[in-house]
Amino acid sequence: MAKKRSKKDKIRAKAHHRVNLTKLDSNEKSSEVILKVKSQTQKTANENKSYLEDIFAYDPKLIFNDLRKTILVVFFILLILLTISLLYT
């Protein structure tokens, strides 16, 4: 059976992979691989930025209404739980 990789082994493998990518800089294929890796990191940064823009693009009135409804529902549920606990204690 194969040995399960630990977190240290995974980190070591990633570091080793990065070193190999930088060493292969002379080949045309390796530079394409490096460009792909760089583009992937840029895509994730752009996705995070667009995600934050999407969150703050909503109307604040709608956000406050949703928060108010959520708080009312939570208090209602807590009130029900409180009455149940008082009845059975």
Side-chain angles (χ1 to χ4, degrees):
M1 256 173 63
K3 178 183 162 189
K4 187 173 180 181
R5 291 172 57 184
S6 67
K7 189 174 183 180
K8 288 180 182 179
D9 293 335
K10 291 177 185 177
I11 293 171
R12 193 176 304 129
K14 283 183 183 179
H16 181 71
H17 183 68
R18 285 188 201 125
V19 169
N20 285 341
L21 283 179
T22 56
K23 285 182 182 178
L24 296 174
D25 209 10
S26 61
N27 294 340
E28 188 174 319
K29 292 180 181 178
S30 65
S31 61
E32 291 174 2
V33 170
I34 292 172
L35 290 175
K36 286 180 184 178
V37 170
K38 287 181 182 178
S39 66
Q40 288 174 352
T41 56
Q42 290 173 351
K43 285 180 184 177
T44 56
N46 290 337
E47 288 173 359
N48 289 338
K49 186 177 179 183
S50 66
Y51 175 72
L52 289 175
E53 289 174 354
D54 289 343
I55 288 176
F56 293 112
Y58 291 109
D59 187 22
K61 290 181 183 178
L62 294 174
I63 295 172
F64 289 127
N65 286 339
D66 288 343
L67 285 174
R68 188 173 356 143
K69 288 177 187 177
T70 305
I71 289 172
L72 288 174
V73 167
V74 167
F75 282 134
F76 181 71
I77 292 172
L78 287 176
L79 183 66
I80 291 173
L81 290 174
L82 178 67
T83 55
I84 291 172
S85 65
L86 289 176
L87 286 173
Y88 291 108
T89 56

